[in-house]
Amino acid sequence: MFVELSAPGRCAAAGTFFLAALLQAAPAHAQSGKVGRIAAPSAAEPAAAKSPDLRDGQAETRLLAVYKLIAEGRSREALAQAETLARDYPNFQLAQLAVGDLLMSRTRPIRRMGDVPEPDSARSLQAATTLEELRNESRQRVDAQRSRPPAHSIPAQFLELSPRSRHAIAVDASRSRLYLFENTPKGLQLIADYYASVGKLGIEKNLEGDQRTPLGVYFITSRLDPATLKDFYGAGALPINYPNPLDQSRGKTGSGIWLHGTPPDQFARAPLATDGCLVLANPDLERILRTVEPRSTPVVIARQLQWVAPHAVQADRKSFDAVLNAWRSAKTEGDMKRLLGFYAPDFQSYRKKPLEEWSQVLKTETRALRGRELHLKDKSYLRWTDSADTMVVTFGEVAEGARTGPVKRQYWARRGQQWQIFFEGVIG
């Protein structure tokens, strides 16, 4: 597997860049306990008496340990570990491929993963395509471990997350990687990350059926019972709210974008393999299904995540907080002229209400305050920047003296030097 195993210690030229890098695959700042460290078992460790529970992240960790053994020229130990991995996860194609390559290496040097003759028939051409997909999957898994996010960093999109959002998800499509965060009193903490597949034709979904995965800020809308789904979706599914209001304002179409699992006979899919959904191995998805909460869990899907220290977003958060507070003040005071100045001319709400109709809603809401102070509780700010600068804002709107109020979501766009609301609606 990228190494001439018949001559230990000598890497084949075709794969030196790949496996040699595994020797540094676990930097000190790795955050996820399961996937950040690649510790190869010693020869003295006994084989497990029975197959372990299929825990999230475990198969990948063990596969990378096999790769490390190969890179170190310890082919006998690598084969033993690969065979155990393939037995525990018989549908894990990369594990099966490792076993095959290691066995083949006993008879001839292996110059690359899945080292077979060039295709000479339709059947072998299909096999060659599958092998290339497996090589790409393997490369994405390894690269993700070589380039771990810095310790205690967060994706730049997360300016502020309400305590109501107990978890958050961020996807780096360039690395085929999904990152799971817990929202703690000390801020977002990365608790796990997983290999994930995206659309066959890549990312940046625009149209129904274009086989691309959308980019943007989304929210999990529900949790689908696996008993109601076809086996194709594996352990279950979590739909997201594509197209969101920003997508709709741009004329994007499509629906049915889910996070879901794999069929029983398939552990993982190729990096580019879905019709637009995000697909994870079933043990990994099961962890997410047990963890996240529909409606309050944000899902950021980016071409490439920008990781920053939490303090790096403080200035932007405070700056926008002043804007939102000015909107709140105008609404509290019932100053309709000033209040409507925060809304974009192309504003729409649910049911496509334009600004003229929404102004009547605002008048009704301000009258209902009867001069009471308006408070914004449990605020979340999620920023999305591409060709435009957008802020997705969620908060509870509670009048002075009231115990509860509606939960609202607003989409703000920066127009020149001014932030304007182009969507607002009640979500709960």
Side-chain angles (χ1 to χ4, degrees), residues 158 161-169 183 218-222 291-299 380 382 394 407 409 427:
F158 294 112
L161 203 59
S162 159
R164 288 170 56 94
S165 295
R166 295 169 54 196
H167 296 89
I169 288 172
N183 189 20
Y218 301 97
F219 293 86
I220 292 172
T221 59
S222 61
T291 302
V292 303
E293 306 80 24
R295 300 176 68 186
S296 63
T297 301
V299 179
S380 287
L382 297 168
T394 308
V407 177
R409 182 161 295 145
I427 61 170

Side-chain angles (χ1 to χ4, degrees), residues 340-400:
L340 289 172
F342 287 97
Y343 290 81
D346 58 349
F347 172 89
Q348 286 193 333
S349 183
Y350 293 119
R351 299 176 185 171
K352 307 296 184 182
K353 280 187 179 180
L355 183 56
E356 184 177 353
E357 290 184 38
W358 190 251
S359 65
Q360 300 305 312
V361 174
L362 291 174
K363 286 179 182 178
T364 301
E365 291 180 346
T366 54
R367 289 195 195 102
L369 288 172
R370 298 191 298 277
R372 293 177 296 170
E373 186 80 10
L374 185 65
H375 299 283
L376 306 184
K377 306 288 189 180
D378 298 325
K379 293 179 291 186
S380 287
Y381 301 156
L382 297 168
R383 191 170 193 169
W384 181 256
T385 304
D386 46 23
S387 60
D389 201 3
T390 306
M391 198 76 73
V392 183
V393 184
T394 308
F395 54 82
E397 193 176 83
V398 183
E400 183 75 33

Side-chain angles (χ1 to χ4, degrees), residues 147-316:
S147 303
R148 302 288 301 163
H152 312 301
S153 62
I154 61 173
Q157 290 85 358
F158 294 112
L159 267 63
E160 182 172 351
L161 203 59
S162 159
R164 288 170 56 94
S165 295
R166 295 169 54 196
H167 296 89
I169 288 172
V171 176
D172 187 321
S174 72
R175 297 203 178 281
S176 305
R177 207 75 189 172
L178 181 149
Y179 298 87
L180 176 64
F181 298 87
E182 182 178 0
N183 189 20
T184 75
K186 295 182 178 180
L188 283 178
Q189 302 291 325
L190 178 60
I191 57 175
D193 58 279
Y194 307 111
Y195 168 81
S197 303
V198 299
K200 293 182 180 74
L201 296 182
I203 51 177
E204 204 161 5
K205 184 173 186 64
N206 286 296
L207 301 172
E208 175 80 37
D210 64 5
Q211 297 184 323
R212 293 179 180 271
T213 297
L215 298 178
V217 173
Y218 301 97
F219 293 86
I220 292 172
T221 59
S222 61
R223 181 186 288 109
L224 302 183
D225 183 351
T228 67
L229 301 173
K230 297 178 181 178
D231 287 347
F232 178 80
Y233 298 104
L238 296 166
I240 63 174
N241 67 321
Y242 174 87
N244 64 24
L246 176 60
D247 297 325
Q248 293 177 39
S249 73
R250 294 174 168 178
K252 296 186 178 183
T253 60
S255 61
I257 301 298
W258 300 354
L259 279 68
H260 66 80
T262 58
D265 62 347
Q266 191 174 27
F267 183 78
R269 297 173 70 176
L272 304 176
T274 80
D275 287 331
C277 292
L278 292 161
V279 175
L280 293 87
N282 287 322
D284 302 343
L285 182 72
E286 286 169 355
R287 164 76 181 278
I288 293 175
L289 289 169
R290 293 193 304 268
T291 302
V292 303
E293 306 80 24
R295 300 176 68 186
S296 63
T297 301
V299 179
V300 169
I301 309 173
R303 183 182 304 276
Q304 185 171 10
L305 290 173
Q306 178 188 359
W307 296 87
V308 299
H311 66 77
V313 301
Q314 287 181 3
D316 286 342

